[in-house]
Amino acid sequence: MDGRMSVYSTLMLKTRDAEAKRARRAADPGLLAALSVQNVVRNQKYSPATFVFQVLYEQFRFFFNFYFLAVALSQFIPALQVGFLFTYIAPLVFVLGVTLLKEGFDDYKRYVRDREANSQRYYRLDAAGDTVSVPSSDLRVGDVVCVSAGERVPADMVLLRTSDPNGSVFVRTDQLDGETDWKLRRAVA
C-alpha cells in the first residue's frame, strides 16, 4: 500500500512541477514573443536575388515559349540556320523583356501595399494600462489591441469587448476566405 502511495505521490509531484513550468512559460512574454511569428504581411512573389530566374522559369514552363527558345538556339548550328539570327531571337527577347517588366512592376505594387499594411497604426494596451500607438508589424501574440469601427483587424484576434451592450460585432472576412458578407461575432466577456 505504501508503495502505491509513493508512486501516486511521485506522479502528482511531477504533474505539479510540469504545470508550474507551463505556467512560468506562459507568463514569460520574452519566450512567448520568441516562439511566435511576426505580424508582417508579405504578398510579394519574388525576392530581388531570384526575380529573373523565377520569371524565366515560369515563362519557359509554357510549351510555346520553350519551343521558340529551342528554334532560336537551333539557329546557332550552321546546318540548321534558315534565316537571320536576329529574326528568331528578337521576338523572344521582346516577349521576355515585356514579361520581366510587367512582373517587376506588379511585384513592386505588392511591396508598396504590404509596406502600407505593415505600417498602419493601431492602439495597443501596455502593462501600465495606457494605450500606445504602434504599427501593425510590431503587434505580438498576447497584445491587447483596440480596433475601432471601420478599421481592418491586423491579426488573428479574440474579441474581448465591444461597445455594443450585447457584446456583438459584425466583421467582414474577405481577406481570409473571399466572402464579402458581414458575419456576426460575439465578445468573450
Side-chain angles (χ1 to χ4, degrees):
M1 189 82 163
D2 288 332
R4 286 186 191 159
M5 285 296 276
S6 66
V7 169
Y8 178 74
S9 299
T10 305
L11 287 175
M12 288 305 291
L13 287 174
K14 286 183 179 179
T15 305
R16 283 190 205 134
D17 288 343
E19 288 175 4
K21 285 181 183 176
R22 264 189 245 117
R24 281 195 303 270
R25 271 189 259 137
D28 183 11
L31 180 65
L32 195 62
L35 294 176
S36 63
V37 296
Q38 290 184 333
N39 187 41
V40 176
V41 176
R42 187 175 189 284
N43 291 316
Q44 291 174 266
K45 288 173 62 175
Y46 310 107
S47 71
T50 62
F51 172 72
V52 173
F53 302 110
Q54 283 183 328
V55 171
L56 290 177
Y57 172 74
E58 290 293 324
Q59 288 305 305
F60 288 125
R61 279 185 20 198
F62 297 116
F63 172 74
F64 288 114
N65 287 345
F66 185 73
Y67 171 76
F68 285 114
L69 175 67
V71 168
L73 291 176
S74 72
Q75 296 305 302
F76 285 106
I77 301 172
L80 299 176
Q81 195 170 17
V82 176
F84 294 112
L85 188 61
F86 177 78
T87 59
Y88 291 96
I89 293 181
L92 183 64
V93 169
F94 176 75
V95 168
L96 293 177
V98 169
T99 303
L100 282 167
L101 289 174
K102 178 190 155 299
E103 288 292 326
F105 181 70
D106 288 346
D107 209 46
Y108 177 74
K109 288 193 317 190
R110 282 190 285 272
Y111 167 75
V112 169
R113 281 194 309 268
D114 292 347
R115 191 176 61 196
E116 180 182 316
N118 291 330
S119 64
Q120 190 170 358
R121 301 198 72 79
Y122 291 92
Y123 288 103
R124 177 176 61 191
L125 197 65
D126 65 1
D130 299 326
T131 56
V132 179
S133 177
V134 296
S136 65
S137 59
D138 287 347
L139 294 176
R140 298 289 178 251
V141 173
D143 286 348
V144 178
V145 181
C146 302
V147 180
S148 301
E151 284 185 333
R152 288 207 176 271
V153 177
D156 292 340
M157 293 187 171
V158 175
L159 185 62
L160 298 177
R161 188 178 74 102
T162 68
S163 59
D164 185 55
N166 296 331
S168 60
V169 66
F170 287 96
V171 295
R172 278 186 12 182
T173 59
D174 59 336
Q175 294 290 319
L176 297 173
D177 56 13
E179 293 184 26
T180 57
D181 57 334
W182 296 91
K183 295 177 179 72
L184 177 67
R185 299 290 185 247
R186 299 208 180 264
V188 174

